[in-house]
Amino acid sequence: MSKVLSNKNNLQVLYEDNHLIIINKRAGDIVQGDKTGDTPLSDVVKDYIKDKYNKPGNVYLGVVHRLDRPTTGVVMFAKTSKALPRLNKLFVDRKADKTYWALVKNAPEKQADTLTHWLRKNPKNNKSTAFPKKSEDSKKAILHYQILKQLDNYVLIEVSLETGRHHQIRVQLASIGSPIKGDLKYGFNRSNPDGSISLHARNLKFLHPVSNEVIHVTAPLPKDPVWDVCLA
């Protein structure tokens, strides 16, 4: 299901029921409040719920998972305190099947592969470094990728994660010589005009923690000529 249910105030709602809501995040949106003081996506969603259902008082919304600010795609929130721990457990137990699309500069050597690195985060510059072997304060990172399409100047790659580390997809792809389009922090040579990086949380599939229904959501790609070619 990739239809946008609502596009009010630039908020693309992909799925909603009594327990959860799934949004197609735009580049530049922060999922949860941080030191910048910018309005987080969580507050925008709260306002949407308050307005749509004419709710008095404060609206409950739980953050289930996050996406980096310059990335786009599927983000899920819990609408009830009952749903939040169940949804969190889905992600902790790796029972939420999430796939990403990335546009990279150089094609990896293999059509499909599993990448394993040890990542160390530097909080001072908010950047992770990948090592081939375990090192001090590093965490194991595993991802799987496959090449979906060769474009004129870029390569479309699909990625799924076994672990959820800081900037994992960005640093692991950069470490094999395939930095993501627009990602200056990890070696791409120029930025995207809107400050985004071409990494998109494309699909999310999971078993609904209350109804036990299989939910499968596909987030439409950003409006961009290069992304458009991916679907041609």
Side-chain angles (χ1 to χ4, degrees):
M1 55 180 77
S2 56
K3 182 180 178 183
V4 177
L5 302 181
S6 173
N7 207 7
K8 188 175 181 180
N9 298 325
N10 290 321
L11 187 71
Q12 289 193 352
V13 180
L14 302 177
Y15 177 87
E16 183 181 4
D17 61 25
N18 292 334
H19 306 282
L20 58 94
I21 183 169
I22 301 175
I23 306 298
N24 188 12
K25 186 183 99 63
R26 300 174 303 167
D29 288 342
I30 49 172
V31 174
Q32 199 170 23
D34 64 7
K35 61 184 180 183
T36 64
D38 295 341
T39 301
L41 184 58
S42 55
D43 282 1
V44 177
V45 176
K46 284 181 182 180
D47 289 343
Y48 160 83
I49 294 172
K50 187 179 182 71
D51 179 58
K52 180 177 180 180
Y53 300 102
N54 196 26
K55 283 183 173 286
N58 294 326
V59 171
Y60 178 87
L61 194 75
V63 177
V64 177
H65 63 110
R66 297 167 180 81
L67 284 179
D68 295 343
R69 186 164 191 168
T71 65
T72 56
V74 175
V75 177
M76 179 162 59
F77 297 94
K79 291 174 65 176
T80 66
S81 56
K82 178 182 179 180
L84 181 61
R86 297 183 184 186
L87 293 171
N88 283 336
K89 193 172 189 304
L90 281 177
F91 281 82
V92 170
D93 294 345
R94 298 293 161 191
K95 291 183 178 178
D97 184 11
K98 193 173 182 182
T99 57
Y100 298 79
W101 281 12
L103 291 168
V104 301
K105 184 177 182 179
N106 307 308
E109 290 184 6
K110 297 181 180 180
Q111 181 71 25
D113 200 5
T114 296
L115 303 182
T116 302
H117 295 91
W118 294 86
L119 305 188
R120 182 193 299 157
K121 178 183 176 181
N122 183 344
K124 292 183 179 180
N125 61 6
N126 192 36
K127 187 175 180 180
S128 288
T129 303
F131 298 92
K133 297 180 180 178
K134 187 174 183 179
S135 61
E136 185 179 359
D137 298 327
S138 65
K139 295 181 178 180
K140 194 174 187 179
I142 303 172
L143 68 73
H144 311 281
Y145 78 80
Q146 62 173 328
I147 296 175
L148 296 183
K149 194 169 187 177
Q150 177 73 57
L151 310 180
D152 288 343
N153 298 307
Y154 304 103
V155 182
L156 175 62
I157 292 179
E158 184 172 84
V159 176
S160 61
L161 297 174
E162 271 196 33
T163 54
R165 307 304 184 197
H166 177 258
H167 292 177
Q168 180 176 340
I169 298 174
R170 300 166 64 180
V171 65
Q172 284 197 275
L173 290 181
S175 71
I176 62 168
S178 300
I180 294 171
K181 181 178 178 289
D183 197 356
L184 296 176
K185 179 167 283 192
Y186 290 102
F188 199 80
N189 58 347
R190 63 183 181 277
S191 61
N192 288 339
D194 61 357
S196 69
I197 64 172
S198 299
L199 177 62
H200 182 71
R202 178 66 169 163
N203 293 290
L204 177 63
K205 185 177 180 180
F206 61 97
L207 194 65
H208 195 290
V210 178
S211 69
N212 286 325
E213 177 188 1
V214 175
I215 307 297
H216 187 188
V217 176
T218 298
L221 296 171
K223 297 298 182 183
D224 175 89
V226 184
W227 279 123
D228 289 347
V229 176
C230 295
L231 298 178

